[in-house]
Amino acid sequence: MMHVDSSQSVERVSEVVALENVTKIYETRPGTIYALRNVSLVVREGVFLAVMGEGSPGKTTLLKCLSGEIQPSSGVVRRAPGSGDGRGPLASWVSGPDGAGSVAAAVALGPRLLLADEASEESGAALRRAVKGHGVAAVMSTSAPTVAACADAVVFLRDGGVVDMVAGAGPEVISDCLERSGRSCQDRGRGAGHRSQDPEDPRRNCTDPSLS
């Protein structure tokens, strides 16, 4: 299991949502489906995370756990109160084809967290500006490395579990990690010592053996 803190190196940054060993199970006629497996994730203000994974790794379920729309089968979810003035929601979804306009509408609600499922490149760029300009947190799912590169860090899921993370990376590195996440690109670093879990650490790169 990997624990991911979105800003371990940033002092006094407010925690917005934290998941601790969260598992989400759906019982279906064919059998039990694990949408999330023992996910630990901390989302903090002023940090932009992207979530990726090949197939159906649990990206949407993770976002809905962060928003509070679904409750986990096990584990703990800690959520901060809503906006500082007490009038806004904790989380607001970005939706619709108009990326910039949709992000602006979500920001206008005064949330502390912006969420976007399968964000477009325009939405990713607008979320980047919102995080920088308003100090909110943002988490988006995407299948496109070019979109994921807008984020501070990218979390990779496989079969509902977090298998790796990369920070400060461009589309080529993210694409490589996405491909490797199918067999866990973390495996590449086994035996090389501890690797940073800090998404603010620009050295973290799943293809760089110097991170140990």
Side-chain angles (χ1 to χ4, degrees), residues 158 163-164 180 183-192 195:
R158 177 189 178 192
V163 294
D164 205 18
R180 294 174 184 274
R183 54 186 183 275
S184 180
C185 64
Q186 189 181 18
D187 289 347
R188 182 170 179 167
R190 286 180 180 171
R195 297 174 58 202

Side-chain angles (χ1 to χ4, degrees), residues 86-137:
R87 294 193 297 269
L90 172 64
S92 181
W93 285 88
V94 174
S95 60
D98 179 12
S102 298
V103 171
V107 169
L109 297 175
R112 298 179 65 180
L113 171 64
L114 296 173
L115 298 169
D117 198 9
E118 291 300 330
S120 65
E121 190 164 355
E122 183 181 1
S123 294
L127 284 167
R128 173 76 271 166
R129 293 191 296 269
V131 170
K132 182 177 180 180
H134 298 275
V136 297

Side-chain angles (χ1 to χ4, degrees), residues 29-175:
R29 186 177 296 275
T32 300
I33 296 176
Y34 283 81
L36 295 176
R37 294 176 184 264
N38 298 320
V39 172
S40 292
L41 175 72
V42 179
V43 178
R44 298 182 184 274
E45 289 180 344
V47 179
F48 183 12
L49 296 179
V51 182
M52 302 189 78
E54 294 184 337
S56 301
K59 295 178 292 184
T60 301
T61 301
L62 176 59
L63 294 182
K64 289 185 176 181
C65 274
L66 293 174
S67 71
E69 293 179 45
I70 64 175
Q71 298 301 312
S73 303
S74 64
V76 177
V77 180
R78 298 195 310 272
R79 296 186 182 87
S83 61
D85 59 14
R87 294 193 297 269
L90 172 64
S92 181
W93 285 88
V94 174
S95 60
D98 179 12
S102 298
V103 171
V107 169
L109 297 175
R112 298 179 65 180
L113 171 64
L114 296 173
L115 298 169
D117 198 9
E118 291 300 330
S120 65
E121 190 164 355
E122 183 181 1
S123 294
L127 284 167
R128 173 76 271 166
R129 293 191 296 269
V131 170
K132 182 177 180 180
H134 298 275
V136 297
V139 182
M140 69 175 177
S141 70
T142 181
S143 300
T146 53
V147 178
C150 295
D152 297 309
V154 185
V155 176
F156 296 90
L157 298 180
R158 177 189 178 192
D159 296 331
V162 177
V163 294
D164 205 18
M165 182 183 71
V166 61
E172 289 186 5
V173 169
I174 293 171
S175 180

